[in-house]
Amino acid sequence: MEFVEPIRNVEDIKKIKRILKLHSQRDLLFFVLGINTGLRISDLLSLKVNDVWNGTAIRDFLHIADPCTHEGKAFYLNRSVERELKTYLAKIDFDQMDYLFKSKKDNHPITRQQAYRIVNKAAKDAGMTGKIGTHTLRKTFGYHAYRKGIAVSFIAKILNHHSPSETLHYIGIDKNENHLVKVDVNL
C-alpha cells in the first residue's frame, strides 16, 4: 500500500467538498463521513442505510463492530455528516437494508477502487499534488481532531492504535514539533 497524507489545509477540504457536490451527493457524503468519523474504508463501504437512519431521523451515533477486537464502537455523526446524510437520503429511493454507498450499476456498494478514484480525482481537481487515497480520509480525521485539541490518547483509541506515538506518526505529526492547539470550550 502506498503511503498517503492527511489533508491538512481546511481550504483544500472545502474545495474538494465543492467539487464532489457538483459531481454526486453520494460521493460528497462518502468524503464527509470519512473525514468526520475516521472509519476504515471497509467499514464505510459496508454501511447500510439503517446504520445511519432509524426510519424517521438520522442516528446520533453509528455503531460498528471492530474487526480486530470484535467490540462495538460508537462513532458520532456530527452536524456536517447529518446535513449531507439528510440531503442524500432526500434525493434517493432507498430501503433500510440498502448499502449507503450503493453502486449505480447494481445493489452492491461501490468498490474500493471506485472509492479511491472518487477521492483521488476530487483532490487532483482541487489542485492538490500530494499522495491522496481513501486512507487520506481517516488520516485527515485524526490530524484535524488532534489540531483541535482532542487528546491523542482518545484519537488513538478511535483509530485502534496501540500508542499515542503510533497515532502521531500515522497522522503526520512530529512529536517534537511545537504547535498551538485551540482548546475552545466556548461555554
Side-chain angles (χ1 to χ4, degrees), residues 55-154:
T56 57
I58 305 295
R59 296 181 190 278
D60 290 331
F61 288 88
L62 171 64
H63 296 274
I64 302 277
D66 188 279
C68 300
T69 63
H70 302 291
E71 293 176 12
K73 283 179 117 172
F75 295 85
Y76 178 62
L77 300 178
N78 66 20
R79 286 182 310 226
S80 294
V81 172
E82 183 181 2
R83 181 179 55 247
E84 299 310 335
L85 268 167
K86 282 180 178 175
T87 303
Y88 178 60
L89 293 175
K91 288 184 175 187
I92 64 166
D93 264 342
F94 64 86
D95 183 76
Q96 286 287 100
M97 295 309 295
D98 283 346
Y99 285 103
L100 188 59
F101 302 109
K102 191 165 67 168
S103 169
K104 293 173 184 168
K105 297 177 186 173
D106 54 32
N107 285 327
H108 292 61
I110 61 173
T111 64
R112 293 173 75 96
Q113 294 79 11
Q114 181 64 18
Y116 169 83
R117 284 191 291 270
I118 289 164
V119 172
N120 190 269
K121 182 175 181 344
K124 292 212 181 319
D125 290 350
M128 296 187 65
T129 57
K131 295 186 184 303
I132 304 292
T134 53
H135 217 62
T136 296
L137 307 181
R138 188 167 157 86
K139 289 185 175 195
T140 299
F141 164 80
Y143 178 84
H144 287 281
Y146 180 75
R147 288 293 189 208
K148 289 187 177 189
I150 305 298
V152 69
S153 58
F154 188 70

